[in-house]
Amino acid sequence: MPEGKIVKALSGFYYVLQDGELIQCRGRGVFRKNKITPLVGDEVIFQAENDKEGYILEVKPRKNELIRPPIANVDQAILVFSAVEPDFSTVLLDRFLVLVEFNHIEPLICISKMDLTSEEELQTISGYAEQYRKAGYDVILTSSETETGIERLNPHIENKISVFAGQSGVGKSSLLNVLRPDLDLKTNDISTHLGRGKHTTRHVELIKIGNGLIADTPGFSSLEFTNIEAEDLTFCFPEIAKASENCKFRGCLHVSEPKCGVKAGVDKGEIPTYRYEHYLDFLKEIKERKPRY
């Protein structure tokens, strides 16, 4: 039986890519019975009725999956955050990073609209970029207008399934248009009244760029830490996870415990104060979460 990858899901159809050809498939009824929903990114076994249509018979095991946006087998999340319009937000970036780390997806931080920054804003953003690099993240400063930094994105995309994610209006579609001009994806100006852009992406689709596939998604519609437990959070902050090796007590949550390696790291300036404060805020949120039944 032929195998392929789902690159688009729309109106009950799954578009499977096999050897450069797209086959429009439906899912077998057994999927509904077994509560399996094929996702974009899934490796599948299918039966072709002809060279254009077929049925998906089996979804192969996934290495990961996201619920919102619905996509599977993601290698990398390219988190696009604008330097300005809307303003760069470390708390929102850290929230995205925690969700990506928890799902064992490699993050890449892409700060867009660098051409719009003042000298002071440029220094501020460069300072944040350096701190995130010290924490262990790759950070690329870009501009769709001047195409600054775009050449640095290309090697990260090769041979991977990547998700472009970030709040509305940060320029995700503009970056994709620069990476592959023939796409001509629709972009919307920022609403000055709301201070954010309107969603221009309606469904999940994998777009071929070079030898990689990128999902231009509607973004994470849920940024809640639904499945993350308090003891998981340490490992979603790389520099906190590293410093926690020096904690005296196993299971230290780095709040009020004595001889805490993380608090010592903050005091020494090895961990940015805002990152630690975000950790504490997220920990409180997780602890106060209503239990699921």
Side-chain angles (χ1 to χ4, degrees):
M1 287 291 180
E3 297 184 16
K5 186 192 301 289
I6 298 176
V7 295
K8 182 166 79 168
L10 193 62
S11 304
F13 288 101
Y14 303 99
Y15 296 83
V16 178
L17 183 67
Q18 189 220 18
D19 295 334
E21 298 292 324
L22 270 187
I23 315 292
Q24 178 181 283
C25 295
R26 285 193 177 276
R28 285 289 194 200
V30 70
F31 289 134
R32 281 192 297 276
K33 183 180 173 186
N34 295 334
K35 296 184 177 176
I36 295 171
T37 302
L39 296 175
V40 168
D42 271 332
E43 299 285 346
V44 297
I45 297 171
F46 67 98
Q47 181 176 30
E49 301 285 296
N50 50 56
D51 61 354
K52 294 291 180 191
E53 297 176 308
Y55 285 91
I56 292 174
L57 303 177
E58 182 184 335
V59 175
K60 300 184 88 173
R62 297 166 179 157
K63 71 175 184 180
N64 58 43
E65 67 179 89
L66 298 174
I67 305 302
R68 288 174 288 191
I71 187 168
N73 300 319
V74 176
D75 298 306
Q76 170 178 257
I78 301 174
L79 303 179
V80 184
F81 276 71
S82 54
V84 292
E85 297 182 19
D87 290 340
F88 186 71
S89 166
T90 57
V91 68
L92 191 57
L93 174 56
D94 285 348
R95 187 171 277 271
F96 271 88
L97 284 169
V98 165
L99 289 166
V100 168
E101 293 276 7
F102 182 71
N103 283 286
H104 306 293
I105 297 169
E106 186 177 327
L108 171 65
I109 300 170
C110 176
I111 304 178
S112 63
K113 303 189 184 181
M114 291 303 297
D115 58 296
L116 300 180
T117 58
S118 65
E119 190 60 40
E120 186 181 346
E121 288 165 337
L122 175 60
Q123 287 184 355
T124 301
I125 294 298
S126 298
Y128 281 131
E130 198 50 43
Q131 288 171 338
Y132 279 99
R133 288 185 186 117
K134 280 183 182 172
Y137 294 110
D138 283 324
V139 183
I140 299 177
L141 307 182
T142 66
S143 164
S144 299
E145 287 297 314
T146 63
E147 300 194 9
T148 302
I150 301 301
E151 73 288 346
R152 288 193 57 210
L153 266 177
N154 287 316
H156 289 275
I157 293 167
E158 288 292 289
N159 302 312
K160 290 179 183 173
I161 292 182
S162 303
V163 171
F164 259 45
Q167 66 189 124
S168 298
V170 295
K172 298 189 294 291
S173 295
S174 296
L175 277 173
L176 283 170
N177 282 336
V178 175
L179 286 164
R180 206 183 118 182
D182 64 300
L183 287 173
D184 196 23
L185 292 172
K186 183 182 173 190
T187 59
N188 277 353
D189 291 333
I190 300 292
S191 160
T192 51
H193 177 64
L194 293 173
R196 62 177 188 262
K198 297 168 187 167
H199 281 300
T200 53
T201 316
R202 300 296 175 195
H203 63 277
V204 179
E205 180 174 356
L206 289 175
I207 300 163
K208 189 168 174 59
I209 294 181
N211 291 319
L213 293 167
I214 288 185
D216 183 24
T217 77
F220 289 76
S221 55
S222 173
L223 288 172
E224 295 175 5
F225 303 134
T226 309
N227 298 313
I228 302 177
E229 301 301 333
E231 55 270 20
D232 298 326
L233 191 60
T234 290
F235 303 100
C236 298
F237 287 78
E239 73 275 48
I240 289 179
K242 186 177 178 183
S244 71
E245 294 170 7
N246 299 319
C247 292
K248 181 178 181 181
F249 297 103
R250 200 171 175 179
C252 179
L253 291 178
H254 329 303
V255 181
S256 55
E257 299 91 334
K259 297 187 179 176
C260 169
V262 171
K263 286 188 287 181
V266 176
D267 291 340
K268 292 176 191 170
E270 294 167 356
I271 297 170
T273 303
Y274 65 88
R275 288 272 288 170
Y276 177 61
E277 287 173 350
H278 296 164
Y279 166 84
L280 293 178
D281 289 342
F282 298 165
L283 184 66
K284 184 170 182 275
E285 183 180 327
I286 289 167
K287 285 180 170 180
E288 291 177 353
R289 183 178 61 206
K290 289 192 175 87
R292 287 173 296 154
Y293 297 102

